[in-house]
Amino acid sequence: MSSTASGRNGTWRNWGGNVAARPAREVAPASVEELSGAIRRAAEDGLKVKAVGSGHSFTAIAATDGVLIRPQLLTGIRNIDRDALTVTVEAGTPLKRLNMALAREGLSLRNMGDIMDQTVSGATSTGTHGTGRESASIAAQIKGLELVTADGSVLTCSEKENPEIFAAARIGLGALGIVTAITFAVEPIFLLSAREEPMPFDKVLADFDELWAENEHFEFYWFPHTGNTNTKRNNRSAGPEKPVGQVAGWFEDEFLSNGVFQVAQWVGRAAPATIPSIARISSKALSARTYTDIPYKVFTSPRRVRFVEMEYAVPREAVVETLRELRAVIDRSGLRVSFPVEVRTAPADDITLSTASGRDSAYIAVHMVKGTPYQRYFTAAERVFTAHEGRPHWGKVHTRDAEYFAQVYPRFGEFTALRDRLDPDRRFQNDYLRRVLGA
């Protein structure tokens, strides 16, 4: 759980370095019973409770001055059901370990995000996603979950058991209870062929609908101050496997994507005027390549350059217009943006507070390297996103509140009513939840 390293004096910091908290105490329960006991003791002491995964959220969603629950002992696979094609996994298991364990068993998740340092419960509770035409977020692949609620009782939820809780708790923001185990739908392992290639920004926008329709997983990165993008198409393949060679992989994924990129960020911070030139060079550094491998080796990539991120889901049909407006805002503002803008998609799902709940969605993510002032850029971007009824990722920087969410989520009241029922005393409350869900 490297990214949740506590600093001196029991200060907890997130991966992006933009959130810190000082809990009254930390608990690492070794069983569901121990967790229930910790929640009951917190109630006796009048303390709030929050579980924290790997600290990959850029919001203060996991911050608390009460009891901080660390799930590193609640890890591993509980059960694999080959007939039902499901796997039940403890909530603190990092996605990386899940992906590797499933691969050894000849199984895989259908879709995933591009980072796998998060715990399964942290990733799903905040709505972490990849890109997909038909395949949705990690939470949308959940078939069942186990939840410890505010009074210490353990609930099992699925479409058949506690269905109204299941509808909400798959992306529960830590507000309904603490997730202790998750059952995912899996499938026999398959191969994906990735095709990465540069493409002019205007061409991507003009052809976006076709690029989306013709590929199972389409995404692209646009380099602000340039007309350049790098596109990535992932589609299922009959094989043969053709992984990225070790030398080429090191050069492209480590040296260019992490090493040179880190240096470019340092130069950009020291001399912002150089950023447009650096962006033009960076956007041309990655050449076209194709490779075929098992899913997690294609979907995910190492991210060693630390950053802060804002991401909004807009209706998919609004994505091109939103991106044109974002480009105009960056060009007009005099902002110097050294980090590419990432664009992905997801189909509509039926999870109460999923960013794709009830609508086909496109995600636009803006980043700034850790330690640089990001407020002006993010504020300008957020204005563009909210004009299109954008829904922010629950684990990424945003300034929205309950009043806004009640407008963009038709089922928002359903979620808050369930929270009133499951956590009437607000045992799992913190400042972030007070803001986004209301008191």
Side-chain angles (χ1 to χ4, degrees), residues 25 132 180 205 279 340 388:
R25 61 176 181 249
T180 45
L205 294 189
H388 292 278

Side-chain angles (χ1 to χ4, degrees), residues 97-149:
R97 278 182 54 190
L98 173 63
N99 287 335
M100 290 167 82
L102 286 175
R104 283 197 299 272
E105 298 285 345
L107 299 167
S108 176
L109 290 172
R110 189 176 176 198
N111 197 359
M112 58 195 82
D114 63 353
I115 296 176
M116 51 177 181
D117 298 326
Q118 308 99 316
T119 60
V120 293
S121 58
T124 53
S125 296
T126 54
T128 297
H129 60 89
T131 189
R133 184 183 57 204
E134 285 105 16
S135 52
S137 72
I138 306 176
Q141 298 168 69
I142 295 178
K143 288 289 174 199
L145 51 84
E146 181 180 81
L147 185 74
V148 181
T149 56

Side-chain angles (χ1 to χ4, degrees), residues 35-372:
L35 174 62
S36 294
I39 294 172
R40 284 195 285 265
R41 272 192 302 283
E44 286 160 21
D45 299 340
L47 293 171
K48 303 289 188 195
V49 181
K50 288 297 343 152
V52 66
S54 60
H56 245 279
S57 287
F58 303 98
T59 56
I61 191 164
T64 186
D65 55 5
V67 179
L68 190 69
I69 304 284
R70 289 181 176 277
Q72 65 256 41
L73 301 179
L74 298 173
T75 58
I77 290 179
R78 275 192 195 178
N79 179 47
I80 293 175
D81 184 333
R82 288 185 184 273
D83 297 328
L85 278 177
T86 60
V87 59
T88 302
V89 61
E90 304 268 347
T93 310
L95 284 169
K96 183 174 189 171
R97 278 182 54 190
L98 173 63
N99 287 335
M100 290 167 82
L102 286 175
R104 283 197 299 272
E105 298 285 345
L107 299 167
S108 176
L109 290 172
R110 189 176 176 198
N111 197 359
M112 58 195 82
D114 63 353
I115 296 176
M116 51 177 181
D117 298 326
Q118 308 99 316
T119 60
V120 293
S121 58
T124 53
S125 296
T126 54
T128 297
H129 60 89
T131 189
R133 184 183 57 204
E134 285 105 16
S135 52
S137 72
I138 306 176
Q141 298 168 69
I142 295 178
K143 288 289 174 199
L145 51 84
E146 181 180 81
L147 185 74
V148 181
T149 56
D151 61 4
S153 53
V154 184
L155 298 180
T156 8
C157 314
S158 65
E159 279 174 4
K160 293 192 177 72
E161 216 176 339
N162 295 308
E164 72 297 349
I165 299 175
F166 182 66
R170 282 173 285 169
I171 299 181
L173 318 185
L176 305 175
I178 293 180
V179 175
T180 45
I182 298 176
T183 300
F184 289 105
V186 289
E187 50 185 286
I189 202 159
F190 53 93
L191 292 175
L192 281 175
S193 269
R195 179 172 154 205
E196 297 175 12
E197 66 177 330
M199 195 181 286
F201 187 48
D202 288 328
K203 182 170 170 53
V204 175
L205 294 189
D207 299 349
F208 185 83
D209 287 341
E210 285 153 61
L211 289 162
W212 169 80
E214 287 166 7
N215 295 284
E216 290 173 65
H217 308 273
F218 174 69
E219 65 186 305
F220 71 93
Y221 294 86
W222 164 55
F223 296 79
H225 315 298
T226 79
N228 307 327
T229 77
N230 200 41
T231 62
K232 185 173 180 182
R233 299 165 228 209
N234 298 329
N235 290 289
R236 294 199 181 207
S237 161
E241 263 183 68
K242 277 195 305 199
V244 176
Q246 271 188 313
V247 175
W250 177 85
F251 182 72
E252 288 156 345
D253 296 323
E254 284 299 335
F255 183 68
L256 288 179
S257 299
N258 285 302
V260 172
F261 189 55
Q262 177 73 73
V263 174
Q265 299 299 323
W266 287 332
V267 174
R269 272 179 75 179
T274 62
I275 284 174
S277 323
I278 294 173
R280 279 191 292 276
I281 297 163
S282 303
S283 66
K284 293 199 164 83
L286 295 165
S287 49
R289 63 174 183 171
T290 56
Y291 50 95
T292 303
D293 214 329
I294 59 173
Y296 83 85
K297 294 186 177 178
V298 174
F299 284 130
T300 69
S301 47
R303 290 274 182 270
R304 305 203 203 289
V305 179
R306 298 212 175 197
F307 52 81
V308 177
E309 180 178 1
M310 166 182 280
E311 180 183 63
Y312 267 76
V314 297
R316 202 188 67 237
E317 62 274 12
V319 66
V320 170
E321 177 59 27
T322 309
L323 285 164
R324 288 200 174 110
E325 289 170 22
L326 182 63
R327 173 171 59 182
V329 162
I330 292 173
D331 290 347
R332 271 201 316 270
S333 66
L335 286 161
R336 293 281 181 256
V337 179
S338 61
F339 227 100
V341 172
E342 182 181 24
V343 181
R344 297 176 288 174
T345 68
D349 65 40
D350 62 352
I351 303 171
T352 317
L353 289 188
S354 163
T355 42
S357 185
R359 73 182 191 195
D360 290 341
S361 301
Y363 293 95
I364 304 173
V366 296
H367 311 69
M368 277 287 200
V369 74
K370 179 181 170 180
T372 34

